[in-house]
Amino acid sequence: DLWVRAALLLEANEDLDGAIERYKLTLDVQPAHTGAIDALSRLYEKRGDLRGQADLLRRQAELADDPIVKASKLTALGKLRLEKLKDKQAAESAYEQALELDPDNRTAAVGLGQLALTEKRWEDAVQLLQPLLEVGEELPRETAQSLLTGLGDAYRELGEIERAELAYTTARKIFPDDRGLAVRLAELAEVSGKHADAAELFSTLLDDGGSSLSTDERSTLLLKLGKVREALGELPAATAAYSAASELLPSAREPLAALGLAQEKQGNWEGAARTLERELDLEAVEAKRFDLLVRAGDAAVQLKDREQAARRYVSALEINADDRNLLSKLMAVYSTSKDWTKLVEVLVRMARVVDDPRLCGKYLYTAAGIAHTELGELDEAIEYYDSALGFDATLDSAFRGLVECLSKAGAWDRLASAYRAQLERRREELDDEQRAALWDTLGSIYLDKLHRIDPAVEAYETASELQPENRSRTELLVELYSRAPSRFADRAIAAHDRLLDGNPYRVESYRALRKLYTQLQRPDEAWLVCQALRSLNMAEPEEEQFFKRHRIQAPATARECITDELWREHLLLPEQDQALTTMLALLQPAAVADLAQEPEAFGIQRDQPIDCERTDAIIAQMLHYASGVLLVPLPPVFYRQRDPGGVSFAFTNPPAVGLGQGALRSAPDQALAFIAGRQLSFYRPGHYMRQLVPTGSGLRAWLLAAIRLGNPRFPVPDAQRELVERNVAAISRTLHPPQQQALTSMVDQLLREQPELDMKRWALAVDLVADRVGFVLANSLDAAVAVVRASPQESSYASERDRLKSLYQFAVSPAYAALRKAIGVTIG
């Protein structure tokens, strides 16, 4: 009581701070002292101490025993904190505590609802304020207006259109003159798709507002009316509304923007162009100015004012230089107006901004074409064509354009480089024929334009590797080689060899080779060519004289033997597959054991072989000599007294050679050497199978037997089943297990590498090799030709024509010349 009396005296003396301090001391002693509390409340309000008031209300709430009273104090505290102290968080806490104590506390709910609306927590706002719909008229008018309007806004944000409409309608019943509510109801109709209702509401607002509407309000309503009219498809009415809104606020951008878009939709390009110019005057943001400039350019295009369109597009390009859509528009304008120089610039810029290499190449190719055909700027066109190909090498038309420009400019070095670059770029895509064509053209550039023979030869040779069968190119190469024989001698010889392989009677090659060998001072090769020319009755007098001067009318006197390596390098044909020969050599013992006949079947006696080294029979001597040179062991040789024929095969075990009466008749030594050499060539490992099994089907049956040896389930044609099984048994009887294993391994490898084996092709190659061997020993092309012509057709798979062609080609080949040198039978 003393503290209170002291406070009253100080208060009477206008010492408010002293009074407040004594009242606080009173409350420290007696917290529920009503007089002190009321006095403090009065003093805080008088002094304007909001925080003091808040602290006092908090203290009162803490002291109150009745929940309703406590809630009331907390509600007052929340309102003070929210409205006066602007402390939303503290206010929200007070309201929540009050509402927890008194769920019917409308003021606390309103406070929390206001906070939720302010913070756009729409769901919380709806939960707190929804009950107020039923009691809206009971609320203070200001509170009811703001809260019901806010509740409607919350429903609208949550997409609950009907409830939003109910909230706005309830509020409007209380405040029928509230224009904002009318606008909200109109906007809600628009959002819900009720555009006709919205249009009517906005029209009513405009009509009823009269002079009470400010310029801003009328412009806003007109803008909204225009939007719903546009949504209804009433573009003229919408345009009129936008236009009126813009006239009211000439500096407002939204009505102007809506007006321009509406004019564009109607195709009113003149109006749109004017509106866009007004927008450009108002807009300072570059991104927005860019869009406006592009649209202004589009409007100018529609008005066929290409100059204005180009200006606007270029202005936009200054803002965003890499916009592909804009560049495309500008490209179209320049293309239509045939402003080729600027169109090229745009195309090049387009090429810089696209990511797709092919599209980039396309733009550059188009730029090159314009520079080439429209502007006649060859240098620019060349640059663009070349760049386009760098991005997309498949642009054949770009390459053709580049070639044409470089040709017109006479830039032959650059043209050659362009061909090389194209070959490099497309080396994985082009087939051999296409690549060969490019190399051919490159060769002609070097030859005809740059007069440089070495790179021309290189180009044609590369093309020839891709198309070895192209004779015209080979003939061209031969002609080029002849211009520098000292540098290209070996290449020229190889080229003539290819030509003669296709046509052994090509006299131009013989003449060229003879001249070349003479220039190179290679007499043996020159003599071989002269021999061929004479045999063909095509020799010139000096050629025939040279041939006769060095001719030796006797078999070759070899100083060295023909080793396996010489066989492989100089005698065997590519068609004679060596893996197949090796496999047949492994099978040969089994075939000999199975197919051999008794000597009596051939009219010979096993115990009466001929001593070929000492006999008087020339053919036997030749067989002995051939065996030594060829390194082929001489089989037993027997006379066949009752055989009128010549040298024959005796299919005995071991194999033998039979000499009939015809073999003993007098004949030129060189012819007998040919016969002996040819005969013995068939006794090489594997070659004998050609005579022992003379048909392709028979040879295949042995191959199938070798396969079945390792894979008994391998399918065999019914027609050959019995023969194959017989051959399998022969292999099993004759070959030891290691030999059988080696055979199986060889067959597996052969089939992996060559699933289809041509036995007849192999046999034909063996026969032609036999002719080569005979010719080497005879040392006379005339003698070899004579024997071939006298031979019966059945003695070889090859026809007489093919045998002679093969002989003539071999007679002047580098392989034969090298073999002669190796065994020491060259002239001189």
Side-chain angles (χ1 to χ4, degrees):
D1 290 342
L2 291 172
W3 286 126
V4 170
R5 289 170 62 191
L8 289 169
L9 289 171
L10 291 168
E11 183 180 353
N13 202 35
E14 296 297 324
D15 186 357
L16 300 184
D17 290 338
I20 290 172
E21 182 181 352
R22 271 57 177 187
Y23 286 133
K24 283 184 177 180
L25 290 171
T26 302
L27 293 177
D28 289 342
V29 176
Q30 190 177 349
H33 195 292
T34 305
I37 291 173
D38 291 342
L40 275 173
S41 177
R42 183 180 69 255
L43 291 176
Y44 283 145
E45 185 174 355
K46 183 177 181 181
R47 196 171 64 171
D49 187 350
L50 299 177
R51 296 199 176 278
Q53 293 180 53
D55 183 63
L56 186 62
L57 286 170
R58 178 186 58 76
R59 185 189 292 265
Q60 287 178 298
E62 290 174 355
L63 293 173
D65 295 326
D66 186 346
I68 301 301
V69 175
K70 186 185 286 287
S72 175
K73 296 298 181 182
L74 287 168
T75 301
L77 176 60
K79 187 174 182 181
L80 177 64
R81 286 174 172 174
L82 180 63
E83 297 178 0
K84 304 293 186 180
L85 294 174
K86 309 299 181 185
D87 188 347
K88 293 182 181 179
Q89 187 174 359
E92 185 174 16
S93 175
Y95 282 142
E96 286 175 348
Q97 292 177 56
L99 201 59
E100 187 175 348
L101 291 167
D102 181 9
D104 296 327
N105 190 322
R106 190 179 297 167
T107 305
V110 168
L112 285 172
Q114 286 176 325
L115 283 170
L117 289 173
T118 303
E119 296 172 1
K120 298 183 179 180
R121 291 185 282 111
W122 307 118
E123 291 181 357
D124 292 344
V126 164
Q127 186 176 0
L128 291 162
L129 300 178
Q130 185 175 358
L132 300 180
L133 278 174
E134 299 176 0
V135 297
E137 295 180 1
E138 300 175 12
L139 295 171
R141 287 181 60 80
E142 183 178 346
T143 302
Q145 184 179 17
S146 63
L147 291 181
L148 290 174
T149 302
L151 179 60
D153 292 344
Y155 278 131
R156 178 176 171 179
E157 293 293 337
L158 293 173
E160 298 184 30
I161 304 302
E162 291 183 2
R163 291 189 176 185
E165 186 176 4
L166 175 61
Y168 291 146
T169 304
T170 302
R172 202 173 184 207
K173 288 178 181 177
I174 303 172
F175 310 101
D177 298 328
D178 190 322
R179 190 177 296 137
L181 284 170
V183 171
R184 278 177 166 77
L185 282 168
E187 289 175 342
L188 199 63
E190 179 185 2
V191 170
S192 61
K194 300 176 182 177
H195 297 112
D197 293 344
E200 184 178 351
L201 287 168
F202 283 128
S203 296
T204 301
L205 283 167
L206 286 164
D207 293 341
D208 294 347
S211 59
S212 65
L213 289 172
S214 68
T215 302
D216 284 352
E217 288 175 326
R218 182 170 290 277
S219 178
T220 301
L221 288 172
L222 284 167
L223 177 61
K224 293 178 181 295
L225 176 61
K227 288 182 177 179
V228 292
R229 292 292 187 198
E230 187 172 347
L232 288 168
E234 301 172 0
L235 278 176
T239 303
Y242 293 144
S243 180
S246 179
E247 288 175 5
L248 288 170
L249 293 177
S251 61
R253 294 172 188 170
E254 190 175 359
L256 202 57
L259 174 61
L261 291 171
Q263 289 170 328
E264 289 175 15
K265 287 181 181 179
Q266 292 179 87
N268 179 6
W269 299 110
E270 289 186 4
R274 288 193 299 270
T275 302
L276 287 166
E277 293 300 325
R278 288 173 60 195
E279 288 188 78
L280 282 167
D281 290 339
L282 296 173
E283 189 58 68
V285 178
E286 281 199 339
K288 294 181 179 180
R289 282 188 61 79
F290 174 82
D291 292 335
L292 291 172
L293 285 165
V294 172
R295 286 171 56 201
D298 294 344
V301 168
Q302 295 295 330
L303 294 170
K304 301 193 182 322
D305 188 349
R306 298 186 184 90
E307 185 176 346
Q308 173 69 358
R311 279 199 298 269
R312 285 309 182 195
Y313 288 149
V314 169
S315 296
L317 208 59
E318 291 172 358
I319 298 173
N320 187 354
D322 295 337
D323 188 276
R324 288 171 56 182
N325 182 51
L326 173 58
L327 288 169
S328 297
K329 292 174 181 287
L330 192 55
M331 188 166 60
V333 170
Y334 287 145
S335 178
T336 305
S337 61
K338 298 185 178 181
D339 192 343
W340 305 122
T341 301
K342 291 182 179 178
L343 179 55
V344 168
E345 292 175 4
V346 174
L347 285 164
V348 173
R349 292 181 75 165
M350 283 289 285
R352 294 195 190 113
V353 301
V354 295
D355 298 325
D356 183 356
R358 291 184 178 273
L359 192 55
C360 184
K362 179 181 176 182
Y363 285 130
L364 288 170
Y365 163 64
T366 306
I370 294 170
H372 178 192
T373 58
E374 302 295 343
L375 298 174
E377 295 289 345
L378 293 182
D379 289 342
E380 282 188 33
I382 289 168
E383 178 187 349
Y384 297 143
Y385 279 135
D386 194 42
S387 298
L389 289 167
F391 285 103
D392 184 3
T394 63
L395 283 170
D396 292 331
S397 51
F399 182 66
R400 289 194 295 271
L402 177 61
V403 169
E404 183 179 345
C405 288
L406 289 170
S407 299
K408 283 183 179 179
W412 306 119
D413 273 315
R414 288 192 64 182
L415 182 58
S417 299
Y419 270 95
R420 286 190 176 276
Q422 187 70 350
L423 280 162
E424 176 63 24
R425 283 189 290 252
R426 303 200 63 188
R427 64 181 182 278
E428 302 298 333
E429 303 169 22
L430 301 178
D431 57 31
D432 286 350
E433 182 179 355
Q434 292 169 321
R435 290 163 61 202
L438 289 174
W439 281 111
D440 278 337
T441 306
L442 180 59
S444 68
I445 293 168
Y446 281 125
L447 185 63
D448 300 331
K449 302 300 182 183
L450 295 171
H451 308 295
R452 291 161 57 186
I453 190 169
D454 285 0
V457 166
E458 176 201 353
Y460 286 127
E461 284 179 341
T462 306
S464 188
E465 290 172 6
L466 295 168
Q467 289 184 310
E469 72 287 350
N470 189 308
R471 290 181 60 80
S472 60
R473 186 188 298 112
T474 305
E475 290 171 353
L476 174 59
L477 275 170
V478 163
E479 191 276 326
L480 292 178
Y481 294 148
S482 67
R483 299 184 188 183
S486 59
R487 292 210 313 277
F488 300 123
D490 290 338
R491 300 187 200 181
I493 293 166
H496 282 300
D497 189 48
R498 291 197 300 273
L499 290 172
L500 291 170
D501 185 43
N503 177 18
Y505 306 115
R506 186 177 186 274
V507 68
E508 296 89 351
S509 284
Y510 290 115
R511 298 260 187 259
L513 283 172
R514 199 274 304 163
K515 182 179 179 182
L516 180 61
Y517 286 136
T518 302
Q519 290 174 328
L520 297 173
Q521 296 183 356
R522 290 161 64 170
D524 192 62
E525 286 97 324
W527 182 82
L528 292 177
V529 177
C530 291
Q531 175 184 234
L533 284 168
R534 181 182 180 278
S535 178
L536 293 168
N537 294 318
M538 296 178 182
E540 298 290 341
E542 66 273 14
E543 293 166 342
E544 184 162 359
Q545 183 180 4
F546 180 71
F547 164 73
K548 288 180 178 179
R549 186 186 315 136
H550 296 283
R551 175 178 55 179
I552 299 175
Q553 293 178 310
T557 306
R559 293 180 175 83
E560 302 290 341
C561 300
I562 300 179
T563 62
D564 278 344
E565 183 180 358
L566 293 176
W567 274 89
R568 287 193 302 272
E569 289 184 6
H570 304 308
L571 285 171
L572 299 183
L573 289 163
E575 293 80 6
Q576 183 188 339
D577 184 87
Q578 286 304 294
L580 179 57
T581 302
T582 303
M583 186 270 292
L584 291 172
L586 291 173
L587 285 170
Q588 186 170 304
V592 169
D594 185 60
L595 299 174
Q597 303 176 49
E598 293 300 320
E600 292 74 16
F602 299 95
I604 61 178
Q605 297 182 13
R606 193 186 302 275
D607 58 352
Q608 295 181 359
I610 301 172
D611 185 349
C612 293
E613 188 176 3
R614 294 178 175 80
T615 182
D616 292 334
I618 303 300
I619 185 63
Q621 295 175 15
M622 289 296 180
L623 286 168
H624 173 74
Y625 170 66
S627 172
V629 175
L630 301 177
L631 294 179
V632 175
L634 182 64
V637 181
F638 299 93
Y639 290 121
R640 298 180 64 188
Q641 302 294 343
R642 293 189 298 275
D643 180 11
V647 182
S648 62
F649 295 92
F651 301 115
T652 57
N653 192 4
V657 177
L659 300 180
Q661 296 175 13
L664 302 176
R665 295 192 188 101
S666 175
D669 288 355
Q670 288 176 304
L672 293 176
F674 180 91
I675 294 169
R678 186 176 191 278
Q679 185 77 14
L680 277 185
S681 75
F682 288 110
Y683 287 90
R684 275 181 64 82
H687 287 215
Y688 186 66
M689 291 289 285
R690 153 71 184 94
Q691 299 295 336
L692 183 62
V693 186
T695 64
S697 59
L699 289 170
R700 182 166 289 278
W702 280 101
L703 172 62
L704 291 171
I707 298 172
R708 287 288 286 258
L709 184 69
N711 183 5
R713 296 184 179 180
F714 189 83
V716 173
D718 293 339
Q720 287 193 299
R721 189 180 306 279
E722 184 177 349
L723 179 58
V724 170
E725 294 303 328
R726 172 182 166 177
N727 293 346
V728 171
I731 296 170
S732 301
R733 284 194 310 271
T734 307
L735 302 185
H736 298 302
Q739 293 173 312
Q740 294 181 26
Q741 186 175 359
L743 176 62
T744 300
S745 176
M746 172 64 71
V747 170
D748 289 344
Q749 180 181 351
L750 189 62
L751 291 177
R752 280 197 305 272
E753 296 174 356
Q754 301 181 64
E756 294 295 327
L757 294 170
D758 190 339
M759 294 297 186
K760 290 185 177 180
R761 184 169 180 259
W762 176 86
L764 175 64
V766 170
D767 284 354
L768 294 177
V769 168
D771 287 342
R772 287 184 169 192
V773 174
F775 167 57
V776 170
L777 293 186
N779 198 24
S780 169
L781 185 56
D782 285 343
V785 169
V787 174
V788 168
R789 285 177 173 163
S791 300
Q793 175 60 46
E794 62 271 14
S795 65
S796 175
Y797 262 114
S799 65
E800 177 184 307
R801 177 175 176 273
D802 288 340
R803 291 178 71 185
L804 291 177
K805 287 177 65 176
S806 178
L807 270 178
Y808 278 111
Q809 189 272 333
F810 181 66
V812 295
S813 68
Y816 178 44
L819 180 61
R820 284 169 60 84
K821 185 176 182 180
I823 64 175
V825 298
T826 57
I827 67 170

